Amino acid sequence: MSTPRATGIALLSFLLVACSRREAPSRGDAAPVGKQTAPLAEAPKVTAGDTASECPHTGLWAVCSVERRLRQSGFVAKQVEGKAPARPGFSVKPRVYTLGRARLEIFIYATASELDKDMAGLDTVLVVPRGSTAVVWESTPTLIRSANLAAVVVTSSPRQAERLALALTAGAPQPGSPR
């Protein structure tokens, strides 16, 4: 024997299921037989030599690809205007950004092998030339390296330094990649 409560629950379940079903389109809504609908617009084709933007996809970092990666990773990077300081141990001048209270300096080399030469003479923990006792950073720096890019982030937030490292070590845009 079923109880009135069980019968009510079953009836309610039936009504919920019946009311939630999608209605079939009426005969007037259907496309006429034999009439073709317009094809969907195709996405532009991207070939290995073509990119969806002006920024080159060569497997090496460029300023535009670093800035795009920072934006994609949720960082609001503001370039510091004025003359960038020459940093001991680096043969190229940095491009300097602020990320809130953090400071990011990126060093982009023409090739990864040119960066290798500078890295060979660098204390990668203190980010100064090996054997140097000079203090050149405002606080503890974090060195990030990827292909032809070296970046130094100076922040009091280990989480922010880690997020930057993850964004940049994911790699530069590769040839043939869509964005």
Side-chain angles (χ1 to χ4, degrees):
M1 289 178 97
S2 69
T3 65
R5 181 180 174 130
T7 305
I9 290 174
L11 181 61
L12 181 61
S13 298
F14 174 77
L15 289 174
L16 286 173
V17 170
C19 292
S20 67
R21 288 189 184 155
R22 294 181 62 193
E23 244 180 68
S26 68
R27 183 71 179 138
D29 293 344
V33 175
K35 184 175 180 181
Q36 295 291 328
T37 58
L40 295 175
E42 289 187 25
K45 304 276 189 242
V46 178
T47 61
D50 193 17
T51 61
S53 71
E54 296 295 320
C55 200
H57 290 209
T58 62
L60 296 176
W61 288 101
V63 172
C64 55
S65 56
V66 172
E67 290 175 348
R68 183 181 327 124
R69 180 64 55 82
L70 292 173
R71 274 192 312 277
Q72 289 172 339
S73 300
F75 291 102
V76 178
K78 295 180 183 177
Q79 186 175 352
V80 175
E81 297 299 324
K83 192 173 180 178
R87 294 294 186 181
F90 294 95
S91 60
V92 297
K93 289 210 178 218
R95 184 163 273 217
V96 183
Y97 297 88
T98 59
L99 305 165
R101 293 184 193 157
R103 179 180 175 93
L104 175 67
E105 295 188 17
I106 61 168
F107 303 84
I108 299 179
Y109 291 77
T111 64
S113 60
E114 288 180 24
L115 174 58
D116 289 341
K117 291 176 189 172
D118 280 358
M119 295 301 287
L122 203 63
D123 177 333
T124 58
V125 174
L126 300 175
V127 193
V128 294
R130 289 185 196 273
S132 176
T133 58
V135 176
V136 296
W137 304 101
E138 299 82 36
S139 65
T140 305
T142 301
L143 177 66
I144 303 165
R145 181 177 178 198
S146 175
N148 65 318
L149 169 93
V152 179
V153 62
V154 180
T155 181
S156 59
S157 170
R159 177 178 284 167
Q160 187 176 36
E162 180 182 24
R163 284 185 59 227
L164 273 165
L166 290 171
L168 296 175
T169 58
Q174 296 299 304
S177 65
R179 40 178 201 150

